[in-house]
Amino acid sequence: MDTSLLERITCPADLRRLDADELGELAEEIRQFIVETVQATGGHLGSNLGVVELTLALHRVFDSPRDIILWDTGHQAYVHKMLTGRTGDFKTLRQPGGLSGYPSREESPHDWIENSHASTVLGYAHGLATAQQASGGDQRRVIAVVGDGSLTGGVAFEGLNNLGHSGRSVTIVLNDNGRSYAPTISRLSESLIRVRMDPRYIRTDNQLRKVLKDIPWVGNLAGRALGATKAAVREMWESRTFFDELGIRYFGPFDGHDLAELERVFGRVAGLDGPCLVHVLTQKGRGYAPAENDPVKNMHDTSYAKPGSYTEAFTEALIKEAESRPDLVAITAAMPDSTGLLPFSERFPDRCIDVGIAEQHAVTAAAGMAMGGLRPVVAIYSTFLTRAMDQVNLDVGLHGQPVVFCLDRAGITGDDGPSHHGVLDMVLLTKVPGMTVLAPSSYQELQQMLHDALEITSGPVALRWAKTAAPWVSEDQVGYGLRGRKVREGTEVCLLAVGKMLAPAVEAAEALEAEGVSATVWDVRCVKPLDEDMLADAAGHRAVVTIEDGWREGGAGSSVADRLAHSGREGPVPAIRVLGVPNQYIPHGKPDEILADCGLDPTGIATAARQALGD
């Protein structure tokens, strides 16, 4: 039985034995395989469909892993994984113990960096090229593939500046599809569009091709050289490009789906000394009609704000608050869809600001907006806010500005792995003086907390919630203000649960009750400042167990333990167990399974309560 071309590719060297027709057939097989895989496992679709020819060209021209190919961001590396011997593992993509959705150093020597946070690759490239020069001997080429969306991040500009200044030999491949997650927000991207859309450029290019085509035999030779003259033609209309000014030679733009042209270009720049940038134009979602026709994100991934989710509750509440607060503005860092801001932007287009992949700027800009009398709400993933903690602390916190941070995907997120788990936010935010930290346990709690947060004008407030579905509760099960809420009355052990951990805590209390152990359960609600009445109640039990889905060390539970140990209350201090995520990188997997492994399921909570009572 004949095997497919894709099944016969076990390493990049196999690609070099294929002719043009076979490469075209392979590209079609790859796209079909990506669609079928992502439909089964979830993952990043549009971005990978757009880099098929680009990845084929890179691996046909350069010699990975001897040559160092880096991806920014790593979600566009599926094709790279297939071409480096991992096609057979894709049935386990993003599954527990299976193939990572990003490059992984543990999986292959072809994967150098595990970056899933954007804009970092040029820093890695500068460092690796510096190491190559320092080591002497046979030099390995460093190739950094960076999306136009990633170039909206400040650290990318820092990398460009240092590469140009140092003169290190790095080939930068600018994968320009006009998008990051959503359409790219950047003056640089507008400049790139002007270059590729300039009618003089297009008209001259087409005229040159037509003239050359009609010249016998010379036209063939000259036609092949035309790609190399495009940069000179472009220079007629722009004195010097942004990249040239930095000391980085610019080539392009080129068709990112013309494999033969890409190979010619990469072959020419491979031997150049110093940094150069090859600008390629690709289509996100190419070859799959539903992705090509998705106006929001070209099916960047298969996630969306699901009905009944915390994100949906936030969207509803934010629009409601904005209707009565004309000073309310919403800010996102290139993720208006997944943070729930698209409906808000449709309702209030002038009050929704997308800054691109620029979390640090988003936070400082929010501080400035607050200083100017607006009420900024920053909607961002928990893991991405950690990129801007200096700004949260010194630009917002130090100035006491009433910025509201709304952190989606807090806690264990699951399939995207260690870089996407939101386990640091409580550890960091509770250390910012004047910061209020809230954690809703239900759909209605989130909406109440957003209202309460906007009522606070003395300093910043952060709300954090999980990716999972939000419980729907009755009005009498919703707290208010900065107070905790007692859910269940007991006498022996007190369970203090943060956010979504309330549900397993209640289950654990019911299991303990069946064994004759009387358990109190509190919904902590306000992680900072802690409710004094809640702490006093907890101190009256023999044992206290705190439960959170962030890092155990330095988080909510640590604050509770410290307060109880130094309360000055007469009588013995209760035995305390702090449950949370261990201080380690947690691999991808199903959230419930990861939480259970961390002892954060009903069984683990009940076990910790028994142990505390036994002390």
Side-chain angles (χ1 to χ4, degrees), residues 26-27 30-31 34 48-57 79 257:
L26 176 61
I30 289 172
R31 286 194 167 93
I34 290 172
N48 285 288
L49 293 174
V51 297
V52 174
E53 290 82 9
L54 171 59
T55 311
L56 286 168
V79 184
H257 302 292

Side-chain angles (χ1 to χ4, degrees), residues 187-244:
R187 293 289 293 180
L188 176 59
S189 71
E190 292 175 14
S191 175
L192 297 175
I193 290 170
R194 285 197 298 273
V195 171
R196 69 190 186 194
M197 297 299 292
D198 191 308
R200 295 169 296 175
Y201 177 89
I202 296 171
R203 184 167 58 250
T204 304
D205 182 47
N206 290 338
Q207 288 172 348
L208 282 169
R209 288 189 180 278
K210 184 176 185 303
V211 170
L212 292 171
K213 182 179 179 183
D214 294 336
I215 303 177
W217 75 268
V218 175
N220 240 3
L221 180 63
R224 288 198 301 271
L226 179 59
T229 70
K230 287 186 176 182
V233 172
R234 175 183 48 74
E235 288 289 335
M236 294 167 58
W237 308 313
E238 292 188 357
S239 59
R240 298 191 73 183
T241 70
F242 170 81
F243 302 106
D244 294 329

Side-chain angles (χ1 to χ4, degrees), residues 72-73 76 118-123 144-161 163 172-176 179-180 184-189 192 242-243 246 248 250 277-279 355-358 387:
D72 189 345
T73 60
Q76 62 183 322
S119 311
T120 61
V121 75
L122 299 176
V145 183
V146 58
D148 59 310
S150 290
L151 284 187
T152 64
V155 69
F157 288 92
E158 295 168 19
L160 287 170
N161 183 48
L163 280 169
I172 304 166
V173 180
L174 172 56
N175 174 26
D176 180 5
R179 290 173 173 267
S180 47
T184 300
I185 306 298
S186 168
R187 293 289 293 180
L188 176 59
S189 71
L192 297 175
F242 170 81
F243 302 106
L246 290 174
I248 298 171
Y250 172 96
L277 184 143
V278 179
H279 182 187
V355 301
I357 304 177
R387 308 186 81 182

Side-chain angles (χ1 to χ4, degrees), residues 318-517:
L318 187 67
I319 292 173
K320 180 180 178 181
E321 294 291 338
E323 288 171 347
S324 61
R325 298 175 185 268
D327 56 348
L328 190 153
V329 293
I331 305 168
T332 180
M335 305 190 81
D337 178 51
S338 56
T339 56
L341 289 188
L342 278 185
F344 180 91
S345 68
E346 293 167 1
R347 177 72 175 80
F348 304 103
D350 296 332
R351 294 161 62 183
C352 188
I353 302 166
D354 185 348
V355 301
I357 304 177
E359 295 88 355
Q360 292 174 311
H361 171 72
V363 173
T364 302
M369 292 176 201
M371 290 175 181
L374 296 177
R375 290 308 313 273
V377 174
V378 180
I380 191 170
Y381 281 12
S382 168
T383 184
F384 295 140
L385 184 68
T386 60
R387 308 186 81 182
M389 275 308 302
D390 181 73
Q391 288 70 35
V392 171
N393 181 33
L394 297 179
D395 298 344
V396 175
L398 178 64
H399 293 87
Q401 293 304 310
V403 176
V404 178
F405 297 100
C406 292
L407 311 186
D408 207 321
R409 272 64 165 181
I412 296 295
T413 57
D415 300 335
D416 283 324
S419 62
H420 275 57
H421 296 312
V423 293
L424 266 172
D425 55 84
M426 286 188 288
V427 173
L428 297 174
L429 291 173
T430 54
K431 309 307 180 294
V432 176
M435 175 72 74
T436 299
V437 181
L438 304 173
S441 60
S442 69
Y443 198 97
Q444 291 79 4
E445 280 275 15
L446 190 154
Q447 298 186 329
Q448 178 64 47
M449 286 181 176
L450 181 61
H451 175 79
D452 292 341
L454 289 166
E455 291 293 305
I456 297 173
T457 59
S458 58
V461 184
L463 286 72
R464 47 113 54 200
W465 59 80
K467 183 181 179 180
T468 50
W472 189 272
V473 300
S474 59
E475 186 175 345
D476 64 343
Q477 294 176 296
V478 178
Y480 62 91
L482 305 184
R483 300 176 62 83
R485 183 175 66 88
K486 185 182 286 190
V487 176
R488 180 189 177 100
E489 183 79 56
T491 58
E492 297 179 79
V493 61
C494 184
L495 308 181
L496 305 181
V498 175
K500 68 168 282 186
M501 302 314 298
L502 177 63
V506 170
E507 284 190 50
E510 291 170 350
L512 291 167
E513 189 72 31
E515 300 172 7
V517 177

